[in-house]
Amino acid sequence: MNQRIPVTELASDFKGRAREALADSQLRSNFRTAMDSLMRKRADAFSDEDEREGLRELGNHIRARSLSNLPDLLEQLETRLTANGIKVHWAETVEEANEIVHGLIEAHDGRQVVKGKSMVSEEMEMNDYLADRDIECLESDMGEYIVQLDNEKPSHIIMPAIHKNARQVSALFNEKLGEHVSEDVDELIQTGRRILRRKFLEADVGVSGVNFAIAETGTLLLVENEGNGRMSTTSPPVHIAVTGIEKVVSNLRDVVPLVSLLTRSALGQPITTYVNLISGPRKPDELDGPEEVHLVLLDNGRTGAFADAQMRQTLNCIRCGACMNHCPVYTRVGGHTYGEVYPGPIGKIVTPHMVGLDKVPDHPSASSLCGACGEVCPVKIPIPELLQRLRQENVQAPGHEPVSVKGAGSKYSRKELLMWRAWVMLNTRPAFYKLFLWGATRFRALAPKKAGPWTENHSAPVPAARSLHDLARDHLKNSSIRRERL
Amino acid sequence: MSARTNILNKLRTSLAGTKPRPDEFDESLVTGPWRYPPEERVARLRELMEAVHTEVHQTRQNDWPVLVAELLAKREITNLLYAPATPHGGQLASAWKDGTRKPELRVYDRPIEEWKVGLFNDVQASLTGTTGGIAATGSLVLWPDRNEPRLMSLVPPVHIALLKASGIHDNWYDMMTAQNWSAGLPTNVLLVSGPSKTADIEQVLAYGAHGPKELIVLILEDV
């Protein structure tokens, strides 16, 4: 049942998928409605601008401070977690991480896994990996469950099924679960509750992500509204948490502003229904909770981003999704168009380090650089600046050293480079520029009718009969004449 | 070489010649905007919790067991999970002996493996204490233990929580500092700010996702 049929990936590249998404009016209205509402909720939750900006500054400081000391913090975290009885595992690649998780499940003869929401497990494609080994790995977050049932991937990191409306969910439940048709959201949620409760009861292993790992106390912090995170981390006899190596913070107090920034930026809530702090497995005198807790720390390209001081800021991310909620491109093309685990602005700066820029060459350009993402980022990642940097890396000439992003240079074109060199020459030498203007205005009828992709949707630009310089000269001459008359 | 060594080496190489940033945590940013006069704390907590469908009652130390009985009767609930070894559990048990017909009291007194199906399928409501509340975010703070284990406040469809008004702190930072959380935490600490909910379908808010469908908070006015 876990075989994923990539229904939304009919087109093979970003542009093709974007074209399809733009033509899907239902999809566009689903996203537009949801993003408008999320933006409004965030604005309401941060009604005091001074408070918001102070908190964002603090959020940035905490993340930057943590990263500036990351290797030591990871070691401290490992020491504390181990002392608390939590076993720590390290994985450089998603394959290694999957092998670790699979090994742990096998060691307990596990056949049923229930999973709380975790973007890192999406990076790992853990569901598919386990399904291939006859282990059922069921998503328990309502949105993730809906998406999994339809063999899709999440289209938003916080709201995985935001691309669907109630009618579509109802049809899905009817088709896959034999439930009667109902567009009542409460009823749909109760269906999900009923089915997943049984799974929480039966599951051999629970898997979750981690929002923040606290080095000082050896604690894994998870935020959620549904209770599926608490269920997945409490009911099954084994809990495996998977997270990226960047999620660690030094002190417990550091999570106070970070949790506030996260829940307000993501959903406009002062706090989520549950903030779950896990600092160990069940103790001998306790009556529930997993007997074993494991943490898998995943690299998957993060050390690559870390190696470059500018790109390192990517790792500040606390996965709130505010950048995508405010992105005019994301709102129009939806999450699936990006074709990767992380969509939207944050996806565009994270993904190249994971899969290589050559696999997502259009991502850095799929932005109007309007700056909204950077403006709302709770930890002040300068996303537009990083997008520009990736655009440069995208066109690095072959042999350029050092290679700071995996797969850089895939969009390099000698023709484009020569055109830009000509442009620079033209614009830095007045004599050439004058000559160019003279030619362009005199021979304007000869301007090409086709100008690459531009003319697919626009009429071709034709130079004016007289240049701006020319007109300005005339204007100045006339006004000086007028002055003389006065 | 192990993944651990490789990852740490790569990170250390990238940081070569740099120093960790100093800790410039400005606590006024997380406390200043979230201070309340003592008499307003209850109102603030109540307002926020009610905004997310929590049922809140203000009551007194001697009156709450009767209120619990009424709340359960109104819902036609026939059993309640409670912790007899706690002071509030003891108080509830003695109030239950007044001769009137009351819901059956059940106890979480054995490892979950021995009665998981019963907990999931039969228990209709639970009553637990709290270690305090947070006015700024409208949150209860729970430190589950042997008497009131982790699933007790999660699995039953109705969760009743007792909160002493004197245990309400202005904000989370104040609370963790006052109680010295950084010295070490128990197996599990929870901030609970309402019944379980989701907005995963069309952003329509629906309560009773995977945890309790109803959260009832009884504030004991002891100040």
Side-chain angles (χ1 to χ4, degrees):
Chain A
M1 69 155 288
N2 283 322
Q3 262 333 44
R4 272 188 175 147
I5 307 155
V7 285
T8 55
E9 289 179 34
L10 296 173
S12 61
D13 66 342
F14 183 92
K15 285 176 185 161
R17 288 190 296 265
R19 212 166 282 130
E20 283 169 13
L22 289 170
D24 184 342
S25 59
Q26 179 67 66
L27 186 86
R28 291 188 63 175
S29 108
N30 292 354
F31 272 101
R32 180 81 264 171
T33 314
M35 298 307 113
D36 283 348
S37 146
L38 287 166
M39 284 193 283
R40 204 167 42 242
K41 285 181 188 164
R42 174 188 174 274
D44 291 347
F46 286 112
S47 52
D48 179 342
E49 194 184 326
D50 291 340
E51 189 268 334
R52 180 190 70 210
E53 290 311 306
L55 206 61
R56 286 178 72 222
E57 197 57 56
L58 180 58
N60 175 273
H61 162 71
I62 292 166
R63 291 301 301 136
R65 165 160 55 78
S66 304
L67 294 178
S68 78
N69 194 24
L70 185 58
D72 289 353
L73 277 188
L74 284 168
E75 284 187 324
Q76 188 193 350
L77 177 73
E78 184 183 39
T79 306
R80 288 275 184 280
L81 286 173
T82 309
N84 291 348
I86 296 177
K87 181 115 203 315
V88 179
H89 309 260
W90 303 68
E92 283 186 274
T93 62
V94 295
E95 290 77 24
E96 283 176 24
N98 275 323
E99 280 166 23
I100 292 167
V101 171
H102 180 236
L104 293 169
I105 297 169
E106 283 290 291
H108 293 86
D109 287 326
R111 280 290 158 262
Q112 287 194 66
V113 175
V114 72
K115 178 141 79 67
K117 207 176 146 19
S118 151
M119 290 311 295
V120 168
S121 75
E122 295 287 340
E123 282 177 44
M124 295 161 62
E125 300 192 311
M126 189 195 288
N127 295 352
D128 293 348
Y129 185 93
L130 294 178
D132 290 344
R133 286 150 188 82
D134 290 325
I135 296 167
E136 180 195 64
C137 187
L138 198 71
E139 297 289 348
S140 63
D141 172 87
M142 290 290 182
E144 291 276 357
Y145 175 67
I146 291 165
V147 164
Q148 186 183 30
L149 207 56
D150 209 8
N151 300 306
E152 283 185 313
K153 287 186 178 185
S155 59
H156 190 284
I157 64 170
I158 304 290
M159 304 245 156
I162 201 67
H163 56 289
K164 288 190 190 304
N165 60 19
R167 190 174 44 76
Q168 292 165 317
V169 175
S170 167
L172 179 70
F173 280 11
N174 178 255
E175 183 200 332
K176 305 272 174 159
L177 306 170
E179 296 290 328
H180 75 273
V181 177
S182 163
E183 290 178 28
D184 181 70
V185 171
D186 276 316
E187 207 175 311
L188 292 169
I189 294 298
Q190 289 312 308
T191 301
R193 175 185 173 102
R194 203 178 63 240
I195 291 166
L196 287 164
R197 277 238 154 183
R198 206 164 53 230
K199 296 294 178 181
F200 289 128
L201 175 64
E202 293 167 356
D204 308 304
V205 174
V207 170
S208 78
V210 174
N211 291 100
F212 304 107
I214 302 150
E216 177 182 40
T217 51
T219 301
L220 309 176
L221 183 149
L222 284 78
V223 300
E224 54 143 348
N225 281 317
E226 295 185 2
N228 66 309
R230 284 179 67 191
M231 284 282 192
S232 308
T233 57
T234 316
S235 181
V238 179
H239 168 209
I240 305 171
V242 293
T243 195
I245 51 170
E246 82 283 15
K247 285 286 176 71
V248 60
V249 295
S250 323
N251 307 314
L252 189 59
R253 66 168 155 85
D254 288 340
V255 302
V256 176
L258 291 179
V259 166
S260 182
L261 285 164
L262 174 59
T263 65
R264 289 201 277 169
S265 301
L267 301 156
Q269 294 180 197
I271 196 163
T272 43
T273 303
Y274 303 116
V275 177
N276 183 5
L277 295 105
I278 299 166
S279 304
R282 185 192 308 192
K283 293 193 176 75
D285 68 326
E286 291 170 343
L287 299 176
D288 65 12
E291 301 279 3
E292 279 181 32
V293 180
H294 298 267
L295 174 68
V296 180
L297 290 166
L298 175 66
D299 179 349
N300 192 26
R302 287 164 173 83
T303 47
F306 191 84
D308 183 289
Q310 191 186 22
M311 295 293 191
R312 190 176 302 157
Q313 298 174 91
T314 301
L315 302 176
N316 280 353
C317 180
I318 58 171
R319 305 282 190 264
C320 71
C323 58
M324 55 198 78
N325 300 344
H326 290 75
C327 177
V329 176
Y330 175 89
T331 304
R332 282 162 180 81
V333 301
H336 288 148
T337 296
Y338 296 81
E340 295 293 333
V341 174
Y342 299 99
I346 186 63
K348 288 186 269 194
I349 61 172
V350 168
T351 311
H353 304 288
M354 294 177 177
V355 304
L357 195 48
D358 50 344
K359 202 174 162 239
V360 287
D362 292 325
H363 279 203
S365 337
S367 164
S368 63
L369 294 181
C370 72
C373 49
E375 214 166 276
V376 298
C377 176
V379 287
K380 302 187 100 168
I381 303 172
I383 301 176
E385 186 188 306
L386 298 178
L387 286 172
Q388 282 175 290
R389 169 75 192 281
L390 286 168
R391 289 181 184 188
Q392 288 164 18
E393 296 296 334
N394 230 350
V395 295
Q396 291 290 10
H400 177 85
E401 290 286 337
V403 180
S404 39
V405 184
K406 189 160 73 172
S410 74
K411 273 191 144 183
Y412 169 78
S413 135
R414 197 171 157 72
K415 190 173 141 199
E416 193 184 1
L417 184 69
L418 289 173
M419 282 169 72
W420 281 115
R421 287 209 177 129
W423 188 88
V424 168
M425 197 164 73
L426 210 59
N427 284 281
T428 51
R429 300 187 191 177
F432 278 121
Y433 193 75
K434 254 184 215 161
L435 189 68
F436 168 74
L437 279 187
W438 184 85
T441 47
R442 293 306 178 286
F443 304 111
R444 52 196 286 264
L446 300 177
K449 296 285 174 286
K450 285 215 166 98
W454 175 262
T455 39
E456 282 172 23
N457 297 305
H458 306 79
S459 51
V462 180
R466 296 183 65 195
S467 72
L468 185 66
H469 276 191
D470 204 10
L471 292 169
R473 243 189 314 275
D474 262 12
H475 177 75
L476 286 172
K477 205 167 21 179
N478 291 340
S479 54
S480 60
I481 289 164
R482 266 206 308 276
R483 255 204 309 276
E484 277 165 26
R485 278 181 194 157
L486 287 169
Chain B
M1 283 225 275
S2 72
R4 181 184 186 278
T5 317
N6 284 345
I7 291 170
L8 291 174
N9 283 350
K10 281 188 204 170
L11 295 176
R12 293 222 155 86
T13 307
S14 304
L15 287 178
T18 65
K19 273 189 199 154
R21 294 204 185 185
D23 189 347
E24 288 159 3
F25 191 98
D26 180 357
E27 62 170 64
S28 70
L29 291 167
V30 289
T31 55
W34 316 105
R35 293 237 181 266
Y36 311 92
E39 67 277 12
E40 281 176 24
R41 277 186 204 134
V42 168
R44 162 90 192 179
L45 177 126
R46 185 169 182 160
E47 185 193 333
L48 284 174
M49 295 206 84
E50 285 177 342
V52 286
H53 284 216
T54 310
E55 186 173 319
V56 183
H57 298 273
Q58 285 166 251
T59 175
R60 302 217 154 258
Q61 184 61 47
N62 293 328
D63 304 338
W64 67 264
V66 177
L67 180 57
V68 169
E70 284 169 17
L71 293 167
L72 295 175
K74 201 173 92 189
R75 290 169 173 78
E76 296 179 4
I77 284 172
T78 57
N79 63 54
L80 174 72
L81 190 63
Y82 87 122
T86 58
H88 52 268
Q91 194 186 343
L92 184 84
S94 53
W96 240 238
K97 288 180 195 136
D98 66 353
T100 62
R101 193 175 159 77
K102 294 232 173 36
E104 173 206 351
L105 291 182
R106 295 196 181 178
V107 185
Y108 199 149
D109 56 358
R110 52 206 182 281
I112 183 61
E113 289 72 22
E114 292 174 22
W115 76 299
K116 213 173 195 175
V117 175
L119 175 64
F120 270 76
N121 296 345
D122 303 333
V123 175
Q124 295 172 25
S126 66
L127 175 105
T128 73
T130 58
T131 51
I134 300 169
T137 50
S139 309
L140 306 175
V141 180
L142 275 70
W143 289 41
D145 58 12
R146 185 188 169 87
N147 291 319
E148 292 178 346
R150 296 165 69 176
L151 291 173
M152 188 165 169
S153 59
L154 179 66
V155 176
V158 177
H159 174 211
I160 304 173
L162 299 175
L163 171 65
K164 286 181 183 158
S166 60
I168 302 175
H169 294 254
D170 279 349
N171 53 70
W172 191 14
Y173 183 88
D174 279 0
M175 186 174 192
M176 65 167 65
T177 317
Q179 300 181 347
N180 197 21
W181 288 21
S182 58
L185 290 171
T187 306
N188 188 216
V189 173
L190 294 161
L191 271 56
V192 176
S193 310
S196 108
K197 66 178 185 284
T198 183
D200 272 358
I201 301 177
E202 278 190 32
Q203 284 224 297
V204 176
L205 202 50
Y207 287 88
H210 295 299
K213 296 180 181 185
E214 282 189 81
L215 173 65
I216 304 171
V217 178
L218 308 184
I219 300 177
L220 309 183
E221 295 182 292
D222 58 348
V223 281

